Structure formats: structure tokens, C-alpha cells
């Protein structure tokens, strides 16, 4: 029965994120990540340190896509600390046990690599955003100039009409 709690934690986190996604997308992302981590850490708590801690690397990789660099670093350090605390205080491992240090080092490494990998993505997104804003500004300038041209064309048409009527009146006056 305790294994079901992991799934319950995950389901509650996903449900809460689903409800919040329209209004608070960043908060929904954090809730999913924390829920996934909590479910994995709970599983470590009840089943011991085996393969489960390595699933936290997936959570950190997702954090790299959803959170800024500080958030990824915070996730990696927090999850490593939580894993260490569960291993030392709950499962009775020595503080420097390889069973704890190996997954902790992998989590920190995944966090570091994730920030490096997404750095180019964020740079490209920032560049695309800047280009989109520049295109929007150019579009507004183009619309303003098009309006000016329309007004100039209208006043030229009016001037041409007045000139035609003056030429017509001049022709009539000569006759």
C-alpha cells in the first residue's frame, strides 16, 4: 500500500498543474516538477536507494527546459540534499556512502549539462523574440507610412479635381 502513495502524490501534482496551467503556467510547471521529485523521493524512502534516485535526473532535465538556470541549480541541489537526508537519516547510510554520493553527483552533473544544453535554446528564443519585436515595430511604421501615403494621395486627388475645375472655368472664361 505505501507504493500507491507515490502515484497519489504524482497524480495530485499533475491534477493541480492541469488546473493552474491556463492562469499560472510557471507555477504549474514547478508543481509538476516538485510532484515528480516528491513521488520519486517517497519511493526511495519506502524502497531504499537503488534505481529510483536516478529518475530524479529526468526531473532535472525537464527543469532545464521549464525553469531558468537558477531554478535548475536549485532543483539539482535540493533533490541531492533530500536524497542525502533520506539516505542518512532514514535509511541509515553513512554520510559519505557511495550509494548516496553517486546519484547526487549524477543529479548535479545532469543539472549542469541541462543548463548548458538549454542555453543555446534560450539564446535562440531571445533572438527570435527580438526579431519578432523588430518586425512588429517595422509593421507599425509601415502602417503609419501607408496611412500617410493614403492621405497624400487623397489630397493629390482633391488638388487634381480642383485643378480640373479651374481649367474648365478658365476655358469657359476665354470663350
Amino acid at each position: 500500500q505505501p507504493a500507491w502513495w507515490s502515484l497519489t502524490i504524482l497524480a495530485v501534482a499533475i491534477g493541480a498543474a492541469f488546473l493552474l496551467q491556463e492562469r499560472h503556467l510557471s507555477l504549474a510547471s514547478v508543481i509538476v516538477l516538485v510532484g515528480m521529485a516528491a513521488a520519486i523521493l517517497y519511493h526511495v524512502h519506502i524502497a531504499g536507494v537503488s534505481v529510483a534516485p536516478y529518475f530524479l535526473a529526468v526531473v532535472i532535465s525537464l527543469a532545464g527546459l521549464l525553469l531558468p538556470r537558477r531554478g535548475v541549480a536549485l532543483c539539482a541541489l535540493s533533490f541531492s540534499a533530500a536524497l542525502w537526508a533520506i539516505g542518512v537519516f532514514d535509511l541509515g547510510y553513512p554520510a559519505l556512502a557511495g550509494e548516496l554520493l553517486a546519484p547526487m553527483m549524477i543529479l548535479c552533473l545532469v543539472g549542469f549539462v541541462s543548463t548548458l544544453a538549454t542555453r543555446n535554446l534560450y539564446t535562440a528564443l531571445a533572438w527570435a523574440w527580438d526579431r519578432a519585436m523588430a518586425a512588429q515595430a517595422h509593421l507599425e511604421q509601415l502602417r503609419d507610412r501607408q496611412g500617410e501615403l493614403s492621405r497624400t494621395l487623397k489630397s493629390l486627388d482633391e488638388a487634381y479635381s480642383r485643378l480640373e475645375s479651374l481649367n474648365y472655368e478658365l476655358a469657359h472664361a476665354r470663350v
Side-chain angles (χ1 to χ4, degrees):
Q1 175 164 350
W4 286 101
W5 281 105
S6 293
L7 294 175
T8 304
I9 292 168
L10 187 58
V12 168
I14 290 172
F18 181 76
L19 293 174
L20 288 173
Q21 72 179 345
E22 293 295 323
R23 290 175 278 147
H24 304 286
L25 185 60
S26 297
L27 180 60
S29 299
V30 169
I31 288 174
V32 166
L33 294 173
V34 169
M36 290 172 69
I40 293 167
L41 290 169
Y42 180 77
H43 187 76
V44 169
H45 167 71
I46 61 169
V49 176
S50 59
V51 178
Y54 296 100
F55 286 114
L56 288 171
V58 174
V59 179
I60 293 172
S61 296
L62 290 173
L65 293 172
L66 298 172
L67 301 176
R69 288 185 208 163
R70 289 182 185 154
V72 178
L74 181 65
C75 283
L77 294 175
S78 300
F79 299 163
S80 294
L83 180 63
W84 182 83
I86 290 171
V88 170
F89 298 117
D90 190 38
L91 301 176
Y93 283 102
L96 298 176
E99 292 88 354
L100 297 177
L101 293 180
M104 289 170 57
M105 287 177 26
I106 287 177
L107 294 179
C108 291
L109 181 65
V110 167
F112 178 70
V113 170
S114 181
T115 57
L116 289 179
T118 57
R119 186 172 135 207
N120 290 337
L121 172 66
Y122 284 123
T123 301
L125 288 174
W127 178 81
W129 181 259
D130 289 343
R131 294 293 92 213
M133 291 297 105
Q136 183 70 27
H138 287 120
L139 180 63
E140 289 175 14
Q141 288 175 350
L142 180 64
R143 286 185 179 152
D144 290 343
R145 297 231 174 133
Q146 190 175 16
E148 289 174 16
L149 285 174
S150 293
R151 288 187 293 275
T152 304
L153 182 61
K154 185 177 178 179
S155 57
L156 280 174
D157 282 343
E158 290 172 0
Y160 180 73
S161 296
R162 277 187 264 138
L163 184 61
E164 273 188 333
S165 87
L166 287 173
N167 281 340
Y168 180 74
E169 289 175 13
L170 183 60
H172 269 286
R174 284 187 184 168
V175 174

